[in-house]
Amino acid sequence: MPSEHKNEFGQPVGRPVENWQECPMPPRSDMAGRHVIVSPTDVKRDARQLFDANRTAMDGSRFTYLFTDAFEDFDAYQAWLETMAATRDPMLHTIIDKASNKAVGIAAFMRIDTKFGGIEIGNINYSPALSKTIGGTEAMYLMMKRAFDELGYRRYEWKCDDQNAPSRAAALRYGFTYEGTFRNHMVYKGRNRDTAWFSITDLEWPMVRAAFEAWLAPGNFDETGKQRNSLQSFRRA
């Protein structure tokens, strides 16, 4: 669709972005919510708890669409975690359940483009203790809030194997918009990966944020922790 904005030649151009400045890198500091703390990964603190949390899913199916397989050996997992935690991009974070004070998942800021304000959430690995919990959703909200509200990024990305139906569904639930699939994008684990791309922009973020905050409000859950209204219903409203 042609833009309503025109240059001096009458040609359609993108909307103005006034006083744009490069975004800072994410800081290595905690993001705290009611249910979880998203904290830069500390290998000594987190490795054993993360390994044990992942081991509760014994068949390794949670690693199917990740770039590693499930780790059977703690030393190998710790070495991998040390390598991941040492980089600035991806910048790995551990998700800590506040009730148990245990590490139950990881996620990373990655493909960090400070010049143009794009950042991706990736390397997500939720253990069974975090999957389908209020804290799991809150962790995604906290990381989005840092990117948009604290750091001023314009674009927040989610990418996954096109065959990963749970990841595609999660992206849509969180408020991402599907943008298309990059065919023959990667080769991993000896197979092709077509990659589905999703994003949230800074213009969409206020609506997405309001829905998250309404969903996360204590009154949206009954005494058993069951939601009264879905996250998607708040966006529709």
Side-chain angles (χ1 to χ4, degrees), residues 27-32 37-40 45 93 96 146 150:
R28 292 188 180 274
S29 61
D30 289 354
M31 294 164 268
I37 299 171
V38 182
S39 178
R45 179 193 65 190
H93 290 74
I96 300 169
R146 167 152 291 179
E150 294 181 33

Side-chain angles (χ1 to χ4, degrees), residues 78-129:
Q78 182 172 267
W80 174 82
L81 199 66
E82 286 173 347
T83 299
M84 293 292 294
T87 66
R88 293 188 74 201
D89 187 356
M91 185 180 290
L92 195 65
H93 290 74
T94 298
I95 301 166
I96 300 169
D97 174 63
K98 291 181 76 171
S100 65
N101 198 34
K102 289 187 176 180
V104 289
I106 57 173
F109 288 130
M110 55 192 293
R111 287 172 54 91
I112 303 168
D113 183 349
T114 59
K115 183 176 181 180
F116 296 120
I119 193 168
E120 179 182 343
I121 179 69
N123 283 315
I124 300 170
N125 183 18
Y126 280 15
S127 73

